[in-house]
Amino acid sequence: TACPLTQDHATLINRLQDMKPGIIQDQTAIGSGIATAVNRLKESKTKSKVVILLTDGANNTGNISPKMAADLAKTFGIAVYTIGVGSATGDPIETPFGTVVRNMPVDLDEPTMKQIAEVSGGAYFRATDNASLASIYKEIDQMEKTKLSTKNYRTVYEEFFLFVLAASLLLLMEFILRSTLFKTNP
């Protein structure tokens, strides 16, 4: 996985921005992806453990079947929410020559994605554009609320010592000068 579990959104965004296309092959290993996510979450102590599977394709590679991965997620109490993305009418793609709509085939295996969600205790959604994807994320957010508590530590440095030292030196100097040079005889 590209980023460890974190609540630091800036770190996550930086890691995502550093990713380059072509790091992995152009295939979809849904079972392996779910198994990797389960491995990262299985030791978590939170009440609600969730994996969101966002895919535009069917499982076509990997050593673990999606059904086996869903069973594994269920074993560890992890709900898998599956989201199939893409539209049959084509998606707008930005090119150097402007926006072009390309009709890309969407090879979703919706029955398998529904089965993954059902077995693990999640739900299946279909997103055809950015607005529907945003509304799906909001819906999942409403279903899966977990109260998080964090401990913040702050190191406090006591800086009064320099001022006490300076004041003590000035008082000592005042006492020495009053006893010697500026001594007044009664």
Side-chain angles (χ1 to χ4, degrees):
T1 52
C3 183
L5 296 176
T6 181
Q7 292 180 22
D8 184 359
H9 292 191
T11 298
L12 177 62
I13 290 168
N14 286 335
R15 294 278 179 110
L16 287 173
Q17 288 174 343
D18 288 343
M19 293 181 75
K20 303 284 184 243
I23 293 174
I24 56 176
Q25 297 174 352
D26 193 18
Q27 295 177 330
T28 305
I30 291 173
S32 298
I34 293 171
T36 300
V38 167
N39 188 42
R40 293 297 287 276
L41 291 173
K42 68 182 180 184
E43 302 296 326
S44 176
K45 303 291 184 216
T46 61
K47 286 185 204 175
S48 177
K49 295 184 253 183
V50 174
V51 171
I52 298 175
L53 172 66
L54 179 70
T55 183
D56 66 347
N59 186 64
N60 56 20
T61 190
N63 298 326
I64 301 171
S65 74
K67 169 72 169 92
M68 185 186 303
D71 289 335
L72 184 65
K74 181 181 180 182
T75 301
F76 288 103
I78 300 171
V80 180
Y81 290 91
T82 57
I83 305 172
V85 295
S87 69
T89 60
D91 296 317
I93 299 171
E94 292 294 327
T95 68
F97 307 108
T99 303
V100 177
V101 176
R102 282 187 152 167
N103 189 3
M104 299 294 289
V106 179
D107 184 26
L108 281 177
D109 184 359
E110 288 188 289
T112 299
M113 294 182 69
K114 289 176 182 176
Q115 181 185 32
I116 292 167
E118 185 179 315
V119 166
S120 67
Y124 172 72
F125 301 94
R126 181 79 164 95
T128 55
D129 57 19
N130 287 341
S132 64
L133 184 60
S135 96
I136 290 168
Y137 279 134
K138 285 181 185 174
E139 188 174 339
I140 293 172
D141 185 47
Q142 293 303 313
M143 290 189 289
E144 296 290 341
K145 288 286 187 187
T146 298
K147 192 174 212 175
L148 294 176
S149 62
T150 59
K151 292 182 180 179
N152 294 324
Y153 296 97
R154 184 172 60 171
T155 304
V156 177
Y157 297 101
E158 301 292 347
E159 296 181 4
F160 71 91
F161 179 74
L162 291 175
F163 295 109
V164 170
L165 183 64
S168 298
L169 286 174
L170 288 172
L171 282 172
L172 180 64
M173 191 166 41
E174 187 261 340
F175 176 74
I176 292 172
L177 288 174
R178 183 178 282 174
S179 300
T180 58
L181 189 59
F182 297 114
K183 184 177 180 180
T184 57
N185 292 333

